[in-house]
Amino acid sequence: MTRPPAPRRAGRGPSARARAWATRAPLLPALIFLIAVTQLPFVATLFISLFDWNSLAPDERAFSGLSNYKTVVTDASLRESILTTVLLTATVVIVSVVLGLLLALLINRKFVGRGFVRTLLITPFLLVPVSAALMWKHLLYNPEYGLLNGGWAWFTGLFGDSTPAQPDWITDMPLLAVEASLVWQWTPFMMLILLAGLQSQPLDMMEAARLDGAGTWQMFRFLTVPHLRRYLELGTLLGAIYVVQNFDAVFTITAGGLGTANLPYTIYQTFYQAHEYGLASAAGVVVVIGTIVIATFALRVVSSLFSEEASRA
Amino acid sequence: MSTTTAPVKAAPATTAYAPATRRARRRSAGLGLLAWVVGLGFCLPALWMLLTSFHSETDAATNPPSFTAPLTLDSYKVFFGSDGGASPWPPLINSLTASLFSTLFVLLLALPAAYALSIKPVRKWTDVMFFFLSTKMLPVVAGLLPIYLFAKNIGMLDNIWLLVILYTSMNLPIAVWMMQSFLADVPVSIIEAAQMDGARLPTVLARVVAPVAAPGIAATALICFIFSWNELLFARVLTGVTAQTAPVFLTGFVTSQGLFLAQLCAAAVVVSLPVLAAGFAAQDKLVQGLSLGAVK
């Protein structure tokens, strides 16, 4: 473990370098693979974004500089999908963090069948996203025989009302319909992370606070919440990474219609259906720039978690 | 009854606290009950889907819903019997192939990398870790088009091995992060002992590190499997008929056959089963894995 600069200069350089490479070597396959499969395509996207290129008219491919970016910024529907993405991500992450916290608090106490209830609660997260989205679309939202309207009809039927309101959920509130299904899927994820946070809370501190006469709310506000802060940040960060990129729910429930097209869906459509390769690439680059801004902040959060762990080791 | 003075002294205190504890106990029981109600309510859509998959089509599409309709296996029989429609087996086998092989490749690449990052830290190892994580933040759509064009040019479209490669890259960063945290728990002394005996890296990894970190590696594998099985966007864009995966099959199922609610539910249940099984098995390690090892 001696790594002073002197021996390196004193002729032991080659062997030190060899040792350094021996340490690094196991890392290389993973690094090289990842760079080849994730970074190179992005460089290609950057390149393509500078061209006016519609695959239906391949002969008219031409260098067009930044004009695709201009279109992205000025196009109303693309701008709307940026707004939709922000709205969708923020709503889903915030609501599922709050619900996840409530569920974690509820389940962080001993009761009969706790393991089973926990299993019930994480099930939505484990359903294949397409399955879940199809289930919401047809089994719950369907205006004629969906469980939401059906359950409501059953409930009002108990009171003799045979003509209850039967809204068409997806048409009437499309974005909310997508958000609800995503909140349902992501709440368990938040719950799991926050539950881990609750269970790592030092018990002796809680005891001490209780002996000092702190009430439940005070203990929650001044001990639990500060302790959970890092877990809340982590859940928000990871949730945001995944929800920003959501494609399955938008694709399945509304097919991007009725103002629910988020950026991943819009880009998919631009390139897969409209064949506008240059434009789709420019939109992709814009998404990446936006993500980098968020990620810089996000990485700092993880970094703080990480350095704490490193200092513990 | 009291032979010492201590219980006598304690007695007033006990009676004084008795109402509070009884109230606390009743409140606790109430919260337990509430947890059950909330848990069942939260899971209701999934349970309803399971129930509907065992109903006949006519019973499935009633309003108000019927909770007591007779149960039948018809939907599953239709689903697997490929009643005029496409057989679900090729997509299921494709998903299995893509998920299993990509998980295997992820482990083969991530284990040495995690070893270099945790047990024999390379210099600037945190930077390397963050590079891995940052690739996860790169939106998938931003690289999809070049991958599509490249695959098209070399004739790899609609080929399950293309998905294997992409799923490997998709899960590799997560796996490196997870395993780094699991391998950090392996005592360095036993590794050094093995190296003294002349063991080289592959032997050390296979004989010393892997057995000790087995539970963590298993959890990593399960999570990679789940993410690969669930993936839709790559599979949707890059596969067609022969390499179609289960999620893609599921999306086609509805549009092509009109709306058969019970059948749709059966299909959704079958496609979700492997993931549910893997997830329930990994429940305890799931949190640690999903939070990239940052939460222990």
Side-chain angles (χ1 to χ4, degrees):
Chain A
M1 276 289 114
T2 46
R3 252 184 310 192
R8 246 188 243 166
R9 264 184 268 128
R12 282 174 59 189
S15 88
R17 200 177 296 162
R19 230 182 304 129
W21 273 107
T23 328
R24 245 175 262 159
L27 194 61
L28 292 180
L31 261 184
I32 293 168
F33 178 81
L34 211 58
I35 290 172
V37 182
T38 67
Q39 311 291 294
L40 292 185
F42 177 64
V43 174
T45 301
L46 232 113
F47 184 71
I48 296 173
S49 74
L50 302 175
F51 284 84
D52 182 13
W53 181 4
N54 185 315
S55 72
L56 297 179
D59 299 334
E60 289 162 32
R61 183 165 61 179
F63 182 79
S64 63
L66 295 176
S67 79
N68 283 325
Y69 290 92
K70 207 173 143 199
T71 315
V72 169
V73 179
T74 50
D75 186 285
S77 72
L78 275 168
R79 257 193 320 209
E80 202 191 312
S81 78
I82 293 176
L83 191 69
T84 305
T85 311
V86 173
L87 209 62
L88 183 77
T89 310
T91 311
V92 171
V93 171
I94 291 170
V95 175
S96 55
V97 163
V98 172
L99 288 179
L101 178 61
L102 292 176
L103 290 180
L105 287 169
L106 191 60
I107 207 166
N108 186 38
R109 43 172 61 244
K110 288 201 176 74
F111 59 89
V112 183
R114 180 174 158 199
F116 180 72
V117 172
R118 192 177 80 154
T119 305
L120 281 179
L121 286 173
I122 63 174
T123 301
F125 187 67
L126 293 177
L127 281 187
V128 171
V130 184
S131 293
L134 284 172
M135 181 195 82
W136 277 86
K137 182 182 164 95
H138 296 293
L139 203 58
L140 299 180
Y141 289 141
N142 187 293
E144 272 139 48
Y145 41 73
L147 187 63
L148 287 181
N149 284 354
W152 179 240
W154 172 78
F155 182 74
T156 56
L158 293 179
F159 301 96
D161 179 1
S162 55
T163 52
Q166 302 278 280
D168 186 343
W169 299 92
I170 296 177
T171 320
D172 294 347
M173 42 198 94
L175 193 58
L176 209 62
V178 174
E179 284 167 349
S181 78
L182 283 171
V183 164
W184 185 73
Q185 280 228 291
W186 284 95
T187 297
F189 173 77
M190 302 302 179
M191 181 199 77
L192 284 173
I193 286 184
L194 294 172
L195 194 60
L198 287 175
Q199 284 171 355
S200 71
Q201 213 173 356
L203 277 176
D204 48 346
M205 202 191 281
M206 303 290 282
E207 298 273 286
R210 194 175 286 285
L211 283 178
D212 288 344
T216 311
W217 168 251
Q218 280 175 310
M219 298 211 330
F220 176 74
R221 172 69 190 80
F222 295 106
L223 286 178
T224 308
V225 170
H227 173 77
L228 281 186
R229 213 193 100 197
R230 292 164 53 232
Y231 295 87
L232 288 165
E233 286 173 351
L234 189 72
T236 308
L237 159 69
L238 293 171
I241 291 179
Y242 284 102
V243 178
V244 156
Q245 302 193 31
N246 179 273
F247 172 76
D248 307 28
V250 173
F251 174 80
T252 311
I253 296 179
T254 59
L258 308 165
T260 60
N262 62 350
L263 278 166
Y265 186 84
T266 305
I267 295 169
Y268 161 83
Q269 214 181 16
T270 312
F271 122 70
Y272 203 66
Q273 281 163 7
H275 304 277
E276 289 282 0
Y277 288 0
L279 192 59
S281 298
V285 173
V286 169
V287 177
V288 170
I289 292 170
T291 315
I292 286 173
V293 174
I294 299 168
T296 318
F297 161 74
L299 281 175
R300 206 170 300 154
V301 173
V302 182
S303 174
S304 73
L305 285 168
F306 199 56
S307 59
E308 256 173 68
E309 196 194 321
S311 64
R312 236 190 297 142
Chain B
M1 233 179 91
S2 60
T3 51
T4 60
T5 48
V8 180
K9 257 190 220 161
T14 321
T15 45
Y17 279 110
T21 46
R22 204 182 304 145
R23 205 192 314 143
R25 210 176 301 143
R26 210 181 304 142
R27 207 186 68 161
S28 165
L31 283 170
L33 190 70
L34 181 66
W36 268 90
V37 172
V38 170
L40 284 169
F42 196 71
C43 198
L44 182 69
L47 296 173
W48 180 244
M49 179 168 82
L50 186 67
L51 186 66
T52 306
S53 74
F54 289 107
H55 281 166
S56 69
E57 290 298 346
T58 33
D59 288 334
T62 55
N63 183 359
S66 161
F67 297 95
T68 51
L71 303 181
T72 159
L73 282 173
D74 284 356
S75 304
Y76 289 91
K77 281 185 196 147
V78 173
F79 178 68
F80 283 115
S82 61
D83 191 29
S87 165
W89 287 112
L92 286 172
I93 290 166
N94 280 334
S95 274
L96 206 61
T97 310
S99 306
L100 286 180
F101 277 98
S102 67
T103 302
L104 181 72
F105 293 154
V106 165
L107 294 185
L108 286 177
L109 289 169
L111 190 59
Y115 173 81
L117 289 168
S118 63
I119 289 160
K120 286 245 163 156
V122 297
R123 297 209 305 143
K124 300 204 172 181
W125 64 291
T126 47
D127 292 349
V128 181
M129 289 291 285
F130 282 120
F131 169 74
F132 276 113
L133 190 61
S134 69
T135 64
K136 198 60 217 161
M137 295 182 180
L138 202 67
V140 167
V141 279
L144 192 57
L145 175 62
I147 291 172
Y148 171 82
L149 294 173
F150 181 71
K152 197 174 165 188
N153 279 334
I154 62 168
M156 281 275 277
L157 277 187
D158 204 10
N159 183 329
I160 198 67
W161 296 101
L162 178 67
L163 286 189
V164 171
I165 294 170
L166 292 174
Y167 291 170
T168 305
S169 78
M170 173 178 88
N171 287 326
L172 191 55
I174 302 171
V176 170
W177 269 76
M178 281 180 74
M179 288 228 240
Q180 192 274 337
S181 86
F182 291 125
L183 293 195
D185 296 338
V186 177
V188 181
S189 57
I190 61 168
I191 294 165
E192 281 169 354
Q195 283 171 333
M196 295 280 209
D197 295 341
R200 296 179 64 88
L201 180 71
T203 324
V204 172
L205 285 179
R207 296 276 171 82
V208 183
V209 176
V212 178
I217 295 175
T220 311
L222 279 173
I223 285 173
C224 293
F225 178 87
I226 292 174
F227 281 142
S228 307
W229 185 278
N230 285 353
E231 207 280 332
L232 175 69
L233 184 55
F234 278 139
R236 161 97 198 158
V237 172
L238 302 170
T239 70
V241 186
T242 50
Q244 193 185 54
T245 62
V248 181
F249 178 75
L250 214 50
T251 60
F253 189 76
V254 181
T255 45
S256 65
Q257 305 200 13
L259 202 59
F260 293 103
L261 211 52
Q263 254 188 69
L264 167 69
C265 288
V269 168
V270 170
V271 172
S272 290
L273 268 185
V275 170
L276 282 168
F280 290 149
Q283 245 185 78
D284 293 328
K285 290 276 176 195
L286 205 62
V287 193
Q288 196 179 342
L290 291 172
S291 52
L292 309 173
V295 172
K296 285 207 187 182

